[in-house]
Amino acid sequence: MASLRSSAFQSLLRSRNTFLRSQQKRWAQVHDVRFLATHHDPNQVLDRYRAKLKQKAQSEGHENIDSLKEAYKEKIDDLRQKATTPLTPEPPKPSTTAPPPPPPTPQARAATAAKSSGIKSLDSFIDVEKVRSLPAKEIEAIWRLRHAGNSHSICAVIPVETYQRIVSAARQNPQFILPLPRNQAEEENSADNANAGADIHFLQWAFHPPASAPSTTASPGSLANAHTSTIIFTPLAAYKLHGAFAQPHTTITHHLDLADEKGLVLMHGQVMPDSGVSITEASWLVSCVQRFYDFGGQANGRKGELLRMFTAGDVQGFKIEELMAEAEKL
């Protein structure tokens, strides 16, 4: 049975690119096309019918065409008003309003983009300005205490050098699968031990505008608030069934507000209640991210090779049994 499971996962790996492409929806672009009546230059119309208008003015006892237009002014305005529709509006008159406001600053645009993404800023958890003056150890203690009362919360403090290595690998390998070993009790009580072993979960990285406005005094090479990164974890079976609409059970967010000054990246995660994944299991999956993504660190070896092979779709080299064995190695 182990060979059957291996064959199934190799089939999954082989069809990975095709499967992910099949989740993309093609949306038709509907353009609102309206045909507008052309408003000709009234002087052109006047020149074309000048002779007839002059003849009519003389027959009605008017001195000139202007006198004729004045006599028919109310009637002309009434007909013009009746002919005006929402699709054929009167030509706009020159506006004397104030000029438009200046475009928003990059900081304002970033704050607006972050707000629209639904990602909370670090200020929503702690007073960032107050903790800037504290030692790194105290900041770590405050961060852990901030999440201690939430039974569905995960948190960590990551050295900025480690985070940079992980993110560098994540940009090249934004998707991966991780095994979650089933507990021993389940294996012993399982009616079919051949199917016991591990549940596979699918992870996806994403990079967003900074959740907090970038500092106006930040240097060009500043890492602080350069972006906000997230990881979502979804059971692979659910992702295969629902694709992009599958409900993730855990969401991880990294904040870079203190990256330059303190050399720290603050991470927090939320495990969805009643998702079938416990806080301990979600923590295991999060710990596996560093094991496989920290090139130059824990992933400097076979773990990093497995990650690259998954991205490349290497069916021959990527083995699910080896993935499970490497995940359990510290």
Side-chain angles (χ1 to χ4, degrees):
M1 294 302 291
S3 62
L4 291 177
R5 290 202 305 274
S6 176
S7 176
F9 280 111
Q10 288 185 0
S11 175
L12 166 66
L13 186 64
R14 186 182 298 108
S15 61
R16 173 179 171 273
N17 293 334
T18 304
F19 171 73
L20 292 178
R21 286 197 297 270
S22 69
Q23 304 307 318
Q24 296 177 350
K25 306 294 181 181
R26 294 180 177 270
W27 301 97
Q29 292 186 347
V30 181
H31 298 278
D32 185 10
V33 180
R34 298 186 180 185
F35 295 91
L36 303 181
T38 303
H39 298 278
H40 295 284
D41 187 347
N43 292 328
Q44 294 180 355
V45 178
L46 181 62
D47 291 340
R48 181 179 299 177
Y49 297 100
R50 185 177 296 277
K52 291 184 179 181
L53 290 172
K54 186 175 182 180
Q55 182 179 358
K56 182 173 179 61
Q58 291 176 350
S59 65
E60 294 188 6
H62 296 283
E63 296 180 359
N64 49 41
I65 295 176
D66 290 337
S67 177
L68 176 67
K69 288 170 60 179
E70 187 65 29
Y72 282 86
K73 183 176 184 304
E74 293 185 4
K75 186 175 182 179
I76 292 173
D77 290 342
D78 182 59
L79 291 174
R80 180 177 293 171
Q81 183 67 28
K82 292 179 180 180
T84 301
T85 68
L87 295 182
T88 59
E90 281 290 298
K93 296 180 180 180
S95 175
T96 58
T97 58
T105 63
Q107 290 77 17
R109 286 198 300 269
T112 301
K115 184 178 180 180
S116 64
S117 69
I119 299 175
K120 292 183 178 181
S121 67
L122 187 60
D123 273 322
S124 64
F125 296 97
I126 59 175
D127 190 327
V128 177
E129 292 306 316
K130 285 186 177 180
V131 303
R132 287 186 190 278
S133 60
L134 299 177
K137 289 290 185 181
E138 292 188 27
I139 294 176
E140 181 174 353
I142 291 173
W143 185 242
R144 295 187 184 282
L145 286 172
R146 174 62 178 79
H147 297 277
N150 188 339
S151 61
H152 297 286
S153 179
I154 302 172
C155 71
V157 177
I158 307 172
V160 68
E161 296 83 2
T162 302
Y163 176 79
Q164 287 180 295
R165 292 196 303 267
I166 292 174
V167 165
S168 177
R171 292 186 184 277
Q172 300 297 322
N173 308 274
Q175 299 171 342
F176 194 45
I177 57 173
L178 289 173
L180 178 61
R182 296 172 184 159
N183 61 49
Q184 191 63 30
E186 288 182 351
E187 291 191 29
E188 293 175 353
N189 297 328
S190 174
D192 185 4
N193 284 333
N195 291 327
D199 295 319
I200 306 301
H201 294 258
F202 183 65
L203 73 85
Q204 295 171 282
W205 282 84
F207 295 89
H208 314 273
S212 302
S215 173
T216 56
T217 60
S219 61
S222 173
L223 183 62
N225 291 328
H227 62 263
T228 300
S229 65
T230 59
I231 315 173
I232 60 173
F233 294 88
T234 310
L236 182 60
Y239 188 81
K240 290 178 63 178
L241 183 63
H242 301 291
F245 298 101
Q247 180 68 37
H249 58 74
T250 302
T251 303
I252 302 296
T253 305
H254 300 93
H255 296 282
L256 280 68
D257 301 60
L258 305 175
D260 289 340
E261 297 173 68
K262 300 299 179 180
L264 302 176
V265 174
L266 303 187
M267 180 273 280
H268 75 89
Q270 188 71 20
V271 182
M272 295 294 294
D274 304 320
S275 63
V277 175
S278 69
I279 190 72
T280 301
E281 292 169 331
S283 298
W284 162 269
L285 292 172
V286 173
S287 69
C288 283
V289 172
Q290 181 175 357
R291 299 180 196 178
F292 285 90
Y293 276 88
D294 187 6
F295 292 177
Q298 296 186 36
N300 187 20
R302 189 57 178 169
K303 292 182 176 65
E305 293 176 3
L306 287 169
L307 177 59
R308 295 187 185 97
M309 285 189 289
F310 180 84
T311 301
D314 185 353
V315 179
Q316 299 300 321
F318 187 89
K319 307 294 183 183
I320 191 64
E321 294 87 353
E322 193 172 0
L323 174 71
M324 294 169 62
E326 288 294 330
E328 295 179 358
K329 292 180 182 178
L330 296 178

